[in-house]
Amino acid sequence: MRFPLDSSAPQSLALLREQSATFALRSDGTIALAPVVRVGEFFETPAIEFIDRDAAVLGRIERPHPSIDMVGQIRPEGVSALTFSADDSLLLTRFGGKIRLWREAEVGGESAWRPVANLDMGELVTDAVLSPSSRLLAVHLREEIVLFSVADSGEHLTLAEAARLAVAPNSSVGSVRFNLDETLLAISTAADTVQIWGVTK
């Protein structure tokens, strides 16, 4: 899973058989790559790799979404989506109904990503996005959007529910986005509609 970055040619990434991947691109060109491997009846992401323009691995998040199965073993659940915040200081990952926020920090002279917030919605999350300032988190569920305020206490982020918006029911699709000044929230659903909501600061 290595690839050279050459501005004169399109880039390609070779994955192993029976493997897919999701990724996020940071403004400096760093790629966060989360392969998803099928193991029996489960989908797993063993690690997220951070790869620079020279194809060097800058760091890894091992078992980004661990869970305990019925026999008490820890399993690395598959990451279904990941994205950087607008200022690249946070990484959002999600799987099923679980969301984690990560922050990069220097540990022993090396860069490492540490979880700073965890959220379990208890049902499938179809999309989740931070506002441009990272002060709000919007989570798209099957029948509603849940907004959280995000407070930074230094080592951790505190998420507090701020509002719930009803939307047309959908099975597994839907997306949500803020505009740049965070005054509007656009919501799409499986009902072929886009709703625009005002956001009060």
Side-chain angles (χ1 to χ4, degrees), residues 91-102:
L91 179 71
L92 182 152
T93 62
R94 65 179 171 87
F95 173 78
K98 299 175 182 178
I99 298 169
R100 300 191 91 175
L101 294 173
W102 306 78

Side-chain angles (χ1 to χ4, degrees), residues 79-147:
V79 172
S80 56
L82 70 166
T83 183
F84 288 104
S85 60
D87 64 359
D88 293 331
S89 65
L90 298 172
L91 179 71
L92 182 152
T93 62
R94 65 179 171 87
F95 173 78
K98 299 175 182 178
I99 298 169
R100 300 191 91 175
L101 294 173
W102 306 78
R103 176 181 285 150
E104 191 174 20
E106 291 292 327
V107 178
E110 296 184 358
S111 175
W113 289 84
R114 298 285 185 251
V116 290
N118 294 291
L119 189 62
D120 190 344
M121 300 303 299
E123 62 176 288
L124 179 66
V125 173
T126 60
D127 197 14
V129 65
L130 287 162
S131 64
S133 69
S134 299
R135 75 177 186 90
L136 294 172
L137 170 67
V139 179
H140 198 309
L141 303 177
R142 184 176 182 275
E143 297 184 350
E144 61 184 351
I145 306 297
V146 186
L147 287 176

Side-chain angles (χ1 to χ4, degrees), residues 15-161:
L15 296 172
L16 300 176
R17 192 173 181 180
E18 304 298 326
Q19 191 177 80
S20 61
T22 184
F23 71 93
L25 180 64
R26 197 161 63 176
S27 59
D28 65 357
T30 299
I31 292 176
L33 181 69
V36 180
V37 183
R38 183 165 187 167
V39 180
E41 299 178 358
F42 301 95
F43 292 91
E44 301 180 354
T45 295
I48 296 172
E49 286 192 337
F50 297 89
I51 305 169
D52 70 9
R53 292 175 179 269
D54 297 319
V57 177
L58 304 176
R60 292 165 60 91
I61 298 176
E62 301 288 346
R63 294 185 171 184
H65 280 259
S67 65
I68 300 177
D69 63 19
M70 297 180 66
V71 296
Q73 293 184 330
I74 297 177
R75 302 186 62 87
E77 291 182 334
V79 172
S80 56
L82 70 166
T83 183
F84 288 104
S85 60
D87 64 359
D88 293 331
S89 65
L90 298 172
L91 179 71
L92 182 152
T93 62
R94 65 179 171 87
F95 173 78
K98 299 175 182 178
I99 298 169
R100 300 191 91 175
L101 294 173
W102 306 78
R103 176 181 285 150
E104 191 174 20
E106 291 292 327
V107 178
E110 296 184 358
S111 175
W113 289 84
R114 298 285 185 251
V116 290
N118 294 291
L119 189 62
D120 190 344
M121 300 303 299
E123 62 176 288
L124 179 66
V125 173
T126 60
D127 197 14
V129 65
L130 287 162
S131 64
S133 69
S134 299
R135 75 177 186 90
L136 294 172
L137 170 67
V139 179
H140 198 309
L141 303 177
R142 184 176 182 275
E143 297 184 350
E144 61 184 351
I145 306 297
V146 186
L147 287 176
F148 294 89
S149 62
V150 182
D152 193 342
S153 62
E155 291 188 8
H156 300 283
L157 300 178
T158 301
L159 306 178
E161 186 176 319

